[in-house]
Amino acid sequence: MGEQSHGRVLSFVVRHAWLSMRAAIGAELERFGLTVPQFATLMIVEESPGISVAQLARSVGSTRQAANEMLAALERDGLIARAPHATDRRTHQLHLTELGRARYEDALPAVRRREAELEAGLTPEQCDAAFTWMSAMSTACQETGRN
């Protein structure tokens, strides 16, 4: 993409940046036996133990069916455990296993290092502005979807 602006259609620039970052981070995660969506799942479950499958799907921007398929692989690999919810028998709560926590903690520094390499040409102010903008855009899109 480089110099192309796609008529300054920002969503295409963001998509290209995301796909490029996903490939770079994905290459780092290969040695840990993880994909980017699997790492994101481990990160979210680590941050929110007991999260439901539906909540996880919303957090990663997927369908419940797609989240269940990914969880099945993580469960098979011993990284995630599902437990029945205490008050809602239709819901399962997700938790990292010891192996899942160890795999996440092993992979996290590699992801952070690679992101730092990718950000090396930016000032801290540019990084902060990009993070602020992306967070605000995500919130705005979610609010627009509710209207």
Side-chain angles (χ1 to χ4, degrees):
M1 179 170 162
E3 299 294 319
Q4 295 178 343
S5 68
H6 295 289
R8 293 210 32 109
V9 177
L10 191 55
S11 58
F12 285 100
V13 176
V14 171
R15 180 179 185 275
H16 184 75
W18 161 242
L19 291 173
S20 298
M21 284 187 75
R22 182 179 174 139
I25 300 301
E28 287 295 320
L29 290 171
E30 284 178 6
R31 65 187 161 120
F32 300 98
L34 295 170
T35 64
V36 172
Q38 288 173 329
F39 177 80
T41 298
L42 295 178
M43 181 175 61
I44 290 166
V45 174
E46 169 69 10
E47 291 173 356
S48 302
I51 191 171
S52 71
V53 176
Q55 291 168 318
L56 174 69
R58 282 190 295 276
S59 293
V60 296
S62 75
T63 64
R64 195 171 174 184
Q65 179 181 353
N68 267 316
E69 289 172 12
M70 182 177 30
L71 286 168
L74 291 170
E75 217 173 1
R76 182 194 65 235
D77 294 343
L79 304 176
I80 291 273
R82 298 183 208 219
H85 191 279
T87 59
D88 183 353
R89 59 185 170 89
R90 298 172 299 152
T91 301
H92 285 89
Q93 295 180 303
L94 304 172
H95 298 276
L96 294 185
T97 63
E98 286 185 35
L99 179 60
R101 184 167 288 104
R103 182 82 52 89
Y104 170 72
E105 289 174 358
D106 286 347
L108 182 59
V111 169
R112 286 189 173 146
R113 180 192 48 76
R114 187 64 178 121
E115 285 184 352
E117 291 171 359
L118 295 171
E119 294 172 355
L122 303 173
T123 67
E125 294 80 16
Q126 288 172 316
C127 291
D128 289 345
F131 187 86
T132 300
W133 178 84
M134 284 185 269
S135 296
M137 185 59 67
S138 178
T139 299
C141 290
Q142 290 170 5
E143 289 173 356
T144 301
R146 287 185 219 135
N147 294 336

